[in-house]
Amino acid sequence: MRVLYFAWVRQKVGVAEEEVAPPPEVRDVAGLIAWLSARSPGHAAAFAQARQVRAAVNQEFAAPGAPVGPGDEVAFFPPVTGG
């Protein structure tokens, strides 16, 4: 699984992207966030307030319950505002 990080999420994690192999029990975005949070202090800081982080699975916006799998690309980013 390819995980991408953008903006302040990337700054806290410390990398722009990484290849990960979560355990089989990680089946959705929320589970992936929980698993990633345990990987490092930077990951934990990035996801400390998970409600402030948005996700996309295979370039489609995804809710916390959206399924994820081994071949997916998952991106995490802050909410986008416009004007």
Side-chain angles (χ1 to χ4, degrees), residues 50-82:
R51 290 175 163 256
Q52 293 184 357
V53 177
R54 300 294 179 257
V57 177
N58 299 321
Q59 301 182 7
E60 297 283 336
F61 285 109
V68 296
D72 288 337
E73 176 188 88
V74 183
F76 293 105
F77 49 91
V80 179
T81 60

Side-chain angles (χ1 to χ4, degrees), residues 12-35:
K12 290 184 180 195
V13 172
V15 296
E17 66 180 77
E18 60 185 334
E19 292 287 331
V20 298
E25 59 267 16
V26 173
R27 296 186 181 112
D28 58 20
V29 171
L32 180 60
I33 287 173
W35 182 76

